[in-house]
Amino acid sequence: MEIHGGDIYTAEEELQTDYVIDFSANINPFGVPASVRKAINGAVQQLVHYPDPYQRKLRHALGEFHQVHPDHIVCGNGGADVIFRLVRAVAPKKALVLAPTFSEYAKALEENGCEVQYWTMPEPFVVTEAILDELEQGSYDFLALCNPNNPTGTLIAPGLLQQILDLAKQKQVFVLLDECFYDMTEDEMGIDSMILDSGSYANLLILKSMTKLYAIPGLRLGYGICSNAELVERIRTMGQPWPVSTLASEAGCAAVEDHTYRTQFLKFLQEERDFLYDGLKSLGFRVWKPHANYIFFQVPGCYDLDRRLLTYHVLLRHCDSYVGLNAEYYRAAVRSREDNQYFLRCLRKIISKRGLY
């Protein structure tokens, strides 16, 4: 089984408590928006009917939000579901995947008989122009990119991303561009989503998720945007016919209309992200400048920081399960000021009482 963040259940079972502060999952600490709660409650009476297999209302709402045609949107049971459906629909033979990055790309590809080659990002884990040579020389028909990347939080330079997409189009390589954490970068100059340019690339699907920003991972709601309407329909038909529940659909429609919640969170994120980043740096860790709602850091020589933190009821994402990383790397979500301060205090206690190495 793949290891992911957010497994509070195992931690609670081990600690014999329901009190766990979860820094392992990159979820908005504001919690579920009131508008979404209201929409879910209002949709309960609709549960006597099957969900709409075409997600008409949801795709229309997402289309208006992103300014794309609803026929260019495919919805799924979380972003991971869309990944697996896409791979089944495209059926690639040889794929190029970054390392380190989200594990579900490779898992979906390998489960469908695709050969996976990893392209290791050079320190400090950024995509460089060298990937263009790899695409030019390799016989790939699929490329998976994550921007900002998970778990490193690093971004692909806009000019380079354009070059990659242009070359992939020329070489007939299908590109999965995961922008699930893009919403966290909107305050940064020069960083633009590729959604409005997606019409130029029929070989591109942009992956989005509502899990992180709107704090609804338990509902499972993700979607893809692709200008190839025929492929979108083919992706929709892969897997079971009702991937989006009625409650998830109504929640998604309400979420995209809640501009106040979104604006308040992004303002909060800028402040708390810097606070946590500075705090981790002050402890002497090697910390990557964050571009999402999580912070990637390395503690050289320390391979069990997650276990040590668990005694303080803090759940941290250990990154040794990512291809290209060892047990010295960790990822921490940005949470409330109170939680972030507690997290830093726990780290200081570990350093002062026991030492890290």
Side-chain angles (χ1 to χ4, degrees):
M1 183 179 72
E2 293 294 332
I3 299 173
H4 294 290
D7 184 8
I8 62 170
Y9 313 101
T10 298
E12 289 175 347
E13 183 179 62
E14 180 176 336
L15 295 171
Q16 292 295 294
T17 179
D18 58 0
Y19 174 65
V20 175
I21 302 177
D22 188 8
F23 279 85
S24 72
N26 311 312
I27 307 303
N28 185 343
F30 281 17
V32 182
S35 60
V36 170
R37 293 176 183 271
K38 181 178 179 180
I40 291 172
N41 290 334
V44 168
Q45 60 185 358
Q46 299 178 40
L47 296 182
V48 296
H49 305 292
Y50 279 98
D52 178 3
Y54 296 96
Q55 301 93 43
R56 295 172 178 87
K57 182 179 177 181
L58 176 60
R59 288 190 300 111
H60 180 77
L62 291 170
E64 284 195 344
F65 182 74
H66 290 294
Q67 298 179 38
V68 299
H69 197 283
D71 288 348
H72 295 167
I73 298 173
V74 58
C75 302
N77 186 239
D81 181 44
V82 177
I83 293 170
F84 279 78
R85 288 170 176 269
L86 168 67
V87 171
R88 285 194 290 269
V90 175
K93 302 300 181 184
K94 185 177 180 182
L96 186 64
V97 176
L98 302 181
T101 198
F102 187 48
S103 62
E104 295 301 316
Y105 314 137
K107 184 178 180 183
L109 291 160
E110 289 171 344
E111 283 191 5
N112 284 274
C114 179
E115 177 187 350
V116 174
Q117 294 288 327
Y118 288 99
W119 189 83
T120 302
M121 292 183 285
E123 291 274 8
F125 300 117
V126 294
V127 177
T128 67
E129 291 185 355
I131 198 173
L132 297 172
D133 293 332
E134 183 67 29
L135 281 173
E136 188 71 59
Q137 298 170 12
S139 54
Y140 302 105
D141 55 2
F142 193 95
L143 170 65
L145 300 172
C146 189
N147 195 42
N149 187 49
N150 178 12
T152 62
T154 49
L155 291 163
I156 304 173
L160 177 56
L161 179 56
Q162 195 78 57
Q163 287 180 274
I164 293 171
L165 294 179
D166 289 342
L167 180 58
K169 181 178 180 179
Q170 175 190 330
K171 302 281 289 184
Q172 296 185 321
V173 176
F174 194 91
V175 180
L176 166 62
L177 178 59
D178 185 340
E179 287 193 357
C180 286
F181 290 101
Y182 165 76
D183 298 312
M184 319 301 176
T185 71
E186 289 190 341
D187 60 304
E188 302 188 35
M189 296 296 292
I191 304 300
D192 295 311
S193 169
M194 292 303 300
I195 290 176
L196 293 182
D197 293 327
S198 61
S200 301
Y201 302 97
N203 64 317
L204 170 68
L205 181 135
I206 299 172
L207 184 69
K208 301 290 289 183
S209 170
M210 308 200 79
T211 293
K212 289 81 180 175
L213 179 59
Y214 299 104
I216 50 173
L219 274 180
R220 310 305 306 135
L221 181 57
Y223 56 99
I225 298 173
C226 177
S227 63
N228 185 338
E230 182 180 338
L231 176 60
V232 167
E233 176 59 17
R234 192 156 71 246
I235 296 170
R236 187 191 67 80
T237 62
M238 296 293 162
Q240 60 101 357
W242 298 286
V244 179
S245 72
T246 298
L247 299 184
S249 179
E250 291 297 322
C253 292
V256 295
E257 293 179 359
D258 198 333
H259 304 294
T260 300
Y261 176 93
R262 178 190 182 90
T263 300
Q264 290 176 344
F265 169 66
L266 292 176
K267 182 178 184 298
F268 157 89
L269 177 61
Q270 293 177 45
E271 298 173 357
E272 285 306 312
R273 184 166 57 191
D274 290 343
F275 174 80
L276 188 55
Y277 170 75
D278 292 340
L280 290 170
K281 283 193 69 176
S282 72
L283 295 173
F285 301 160
R286 185 186 181 199
V287 190
W288 275 252
K289 185 66 176 176
H291 297 283
N293 63 335
Y294 53 87
I295 299 178
F296 178 65
F297 64 100
Q298 180 187 19
V299 188
C302 179
Y303 307 104
D304 64 345
L305 185 59
D306 57 324
R307 297 299 307 171
R308 300 190 194 193
L309 281 167
L310 197 56
T311 64
Y312 294 93
H313 295 224
V314 171
L315 195 59
L316 181 67
R317 177 64 160 96
H318 205 296
C319 292
D320 61 342
S321 62
Y322 287 92
V323 173
L325 296 179
N326 62 31
E328 298 177 331
Y329 294 91
Y330 303 90
R331 189 195 69 198
V334 177
R335 293 184 56 88
S336 68
R337 176 61 60 94
E338 181 181 5
D339 286 350
N340 293 335
Q341 288 175 329
Y342 177 72
F343 177 52
L344 294 172
R345 285 200 303 271
C346 292
L347 290 172
R348 293 189 191 100
K349 287 180 182 178
I350 292 172
I351 293 172
S352 63
K353 291 183 179 180
R354 300 175 58 189
L356 283 175
Y357 314 108

